[in-house]
Amino acid sequence: MGFSLQTRRRHASPTLWFVAIPLVLLIAIGMRPPAAPELYDGEGPVEIVLIDHGWHTGLVIEQAALRRAAIEIGRYDPVAANRLRWLSTRFPEAEWLELGWGDSAVYQTTRQLGDLSVTDGLRALLVPTPSVLQIVPGFGDPKSAFGRSDQIALRLSLSGTTALATRLAQSVPDDPALLGPSLYGPGVFVNATPSYHLLRTCNHWVSDLIRAAGVPSSLLMATFSGSLMAELRFRGTL
């Protein structure tokens, strides 16, 4: 009795494709050029702090660092410098700002992951949507202000800080509009750029900022706040 070498073709389930396709895209696009190591040695004069809020990360930077970067950037990019000046004068008395970026509809209404509806989450990921920037001013030690959240402090060189600020300026429109109060603290939401989608989420935004400063951070690991923080610790960038 003969037999055939032809095997039955198996069809992947829709659920498998739903997971596999975004994963492959993330891996492919995540193979971007390495961060500039000459900008980061972990011992620079400027400290930034990454705050993990459980579903997204925010970045704390001193006002003085933003203003100094605006002066430096103004020598070759006055548009970016003006955007940074607007940002640093929004709360002129504050010692630092915590900055977060995300989908306009989701970010302004989601204090924690449990508040996020599946429908809104999928819409934000699968369809490019408008983005917003949350600006929260603060005083004193930011580590104490966010004492209940996971944190990572990174020390940047002056050139690394300027590079981060240049990238940050790309998220600030030329004529920002106030959209409402921040989720916590006496801050605000303003409209931002560019659009939000699966390959450019709130955590990717933070990853892009620190990569501009020379800190190694991969797109795939930045998909979730916890994996972004875990990668930084694994790489020993603290």
Side-chain angles (χ1 to χ4, degrees):
M1 182 176 181
F3 62 92
S4 173
L5 294 177
Q6 185 175 0
T7 58
R8 177 181 293 180
R9 181 177 297 174
R10 296 183 178 180
H11 297 278
S13 68
T15 301
L16 178 61
W17 285 115
F18 183 79
V19 174
I21 291 175
L23 182 60
V24 170
L25 286 173
L26 281 171
I27 293 173
I29 298 178
M31 297 175 66
R32 50 188 177 173
E38 68 275 9
L39 295 180
Y40 178 75
D41 60 10
E43 299 178 356
V46 178
E47 182 178 83
I48 63 171
V49 183
L50 273 60
I51 310 294
D52 182 358
H53 292 284
W55 68 285
H56 75 96
T57 45
L59 183 147
V60 174
I61 185 168
E62 294 178 354
Q63 291 268 55
L66 278 178
R67 291 166 182 154
R68 183 168 54 243
I71 294 173
E72 179 65 27
I73 294 169
R75 299 173 182 174
Y76 55 86
D77 191 343
V79 173
N82 286 336
R83 293 175 176 179
L84 292 174
R85 291 190 187 98
W86 180 91
L87 188 61
S88 65
T89 56
R90 184 70 249 165
F91 299 98
E93 303 302 321
E95 295 178 1
W96 48 262
L97 299 176
E98 193 226 2
L99 305 171
W101 178 94
D103 171 80
S104 177
V106 172
Y107 195 4
Q108 295 183 82
T109 58
T110 308
R111 291 181 176 273
Q112 54 188 3
L113 187 58
D115 298 331
L116 177 63
S117 73
V118 174
T119 301
D120 288 342
L122 289 176
R123 177 195 55 77
L125 290 175
L126 301 179
V127 180
T129 54
S131 63
V132 291
L133 187 68
Q134 179 176 242
I135 310 167
V136 179
F139 302 86
D141 184 4
K143 301 184 189 69
S144 298
F146 298 100
R148 295 184 178 181
S149 301
D150 187 21
Q151 307 172 14
I152 289 179
L154 303 171
R155 301 203 69 87
L156 307 181
S157 65
L158 292 178
S159 57
T161 305
T162 300
L164 181 150
T166 302
R167 184 66 57 86
L168 170 62
Q170 296 176 5
S171 297
V172 182
D174 292 327
D175 188 20
L178 300 181
L179 303 178
S182 56
L183 293 175
Y184 44 82
V188 295
F189 276 104
V190 300
N191 60 311
T193 59
S195 58
Y196 180 102
H197 54 71
L198 176 64
L199 300 177
R200 187 163 56 227
T201 67
C202 51
N203 300 310
H204 292 142
W205 181 80
V206 170
S207 174
D208 282 341
L209 290 182
I210 62 175
R211 276 181 59 83
V215 181
S217 177
S218 64
L219 184 66
L220 181 60
M221 293 301 290
T223 303
F224 303 103
S225 62
S227 55
L228 169 61
M229 305 290 272
E231 181 187 28
L232 291 175
R233 291 192 167 96
F234 176 79
R235 290 179 180 271
T237 55
L238 311 189

